[in-house]
């Protein structure tokens, strides 16, 4: 009987099984999503959830415990600085398992995808929205006194008057052109007087 012997052996020795889960835990914390068999995913979930719980404690002893599992200072730093803060206030449920329809070829083992419930792509838009909200508040408009607002209103209404005056100045200038044409017509009879002088000269020559 297997009393007090929890966990799946997965047909591996103790050292082989520990090395395999260390590599899988590193991969899950790096890529935040991996594809594996259902039995391995259920065992990996127990390990990764405990690591994230250590990251929420965020003290020196917790970092040393996480290093014993991961064996990499870079992964410990990513776990405590990047992944841990996403799950603040949580009490579990840091990973999810989604079953796939097609089994593995060869032995028909059921395949799943295990991933973190809070990914970096989901956390980034939430931070951007939090930063945009204070920027939208118009603080400058509230500080303006009412007197300045009253002074600005007549200034805006004065603009149409200037346009009307400009239109009135332009209209007489356009009407002045017909006068010039009338003056030109008056000058035309003076040019026709030239042939009369030639007739007078002929009459004088005949008289002589």
């Amino acid at each position: 009987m297997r009393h007090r012997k929890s966990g799946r052996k997965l047909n591996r020795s103790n050292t082989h099984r520990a090395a395999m889960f260390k590599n899988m835990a590193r991969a899950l914390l790096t890529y935040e999503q991996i594809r594996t068999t259902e039995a391995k995913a259920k065992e990996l979930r127990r390990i990764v959830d405990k690591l994230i719980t250590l990251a929420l404690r965020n003290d020196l002893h917790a970092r040393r415990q996480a290093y014993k599992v991961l064996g990499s200072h870079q992964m410990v730093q990513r776990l405590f600085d990047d992944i841990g803060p996403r799950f603040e206030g949580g009490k579990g449920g840091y990973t999810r398992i989604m079953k796939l329809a097609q089994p593995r070829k060869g032995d028909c083992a059921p395949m799943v995808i295990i991933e973190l419930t809070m990914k970096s792509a989901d956390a980034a838009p939430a931070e951007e929205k939090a930063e945009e909200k204070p920027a939208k508040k118009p603080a400058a408009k509230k500080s303006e006194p009412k007197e300045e607002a009253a002074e600005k209103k007549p200034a805006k209404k004065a603009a149409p008057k200037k346009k009307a005056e400009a239109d009135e100045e332009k209209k007489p200038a356009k009407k002045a052109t017909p006068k010039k044409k009338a003056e030109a017509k008056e000058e035309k009879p003076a040019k026709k007087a030239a042939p009369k002088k030639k007739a007078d000269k002929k009459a004088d020559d005949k008289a002589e």
Side-chain angles (χ1 to χ4, degrees), residues 66-191:
Y67 180 76
K68 287 173 67 176
V69 178
L70 297 173
S72 173
H73 292 291
Q74 294 179 351
M75 292 305 305
V76 172
Q77 185 177 4
R78 174 177 169 77
L79 174 65
F80 280 78
D81 296 344
D82 185 17
I83 297 174
R86 300 180 202 167
F87 299 97
E88 288 183 359
K91 295 182 180 180
Y94 308 125
T95 57
R96 71 166 64 94
I97 295 175
M98 296 182 293
K99 294 183 179 182
L100 299 177
Q102 295 181 350
R104 185 167 61 184
K105 292 181 179 180
D107 60 351
C108 289
M111 301 299 291
V112 299
I113 290 176
I114 180 171
E115 63 181 5
L116 301 178
T117 55
M118 289 289 292
K119 297 182 180 180
S120 58
D122 299 335
E127 292 178 358
E128 291 178 358
K129 289 180 181 179
E131 292 176 357
E132 289 176 358
K133 285 182 180 179
K136 289 181 180 179
K137 294 180 181 178
K141 290 183 180 180
K142 292 182 180 179
S143 61
E144 291 182 358
K146 294 181 179 179
E147 296 178 358
E148 293 179 1
E151 292 176 357
K152 289 179 180 178
K153 288 180 180 179
K156 292 179 180 178
K157 292 179 180 178
K161 292 181 180 179
K162 292 180 180 179
K163 291 180 180 179
E165 293 175 0
D167 295 335
E168 290 177 359
E169 291 175 1
K170 290 178 181 178
K171 287 178 181 178
K174 291 179 180 178
K175 290 179 180 179
T177 52
K179 293 181 180 179
K180 292 181 180 179
K181 292 180 180 179
E183 292 175 0
K185 288 179 181 180
E186 291 176 358
E187 291 176 356
K188 285 180 180 178
K191 291 180 180 179

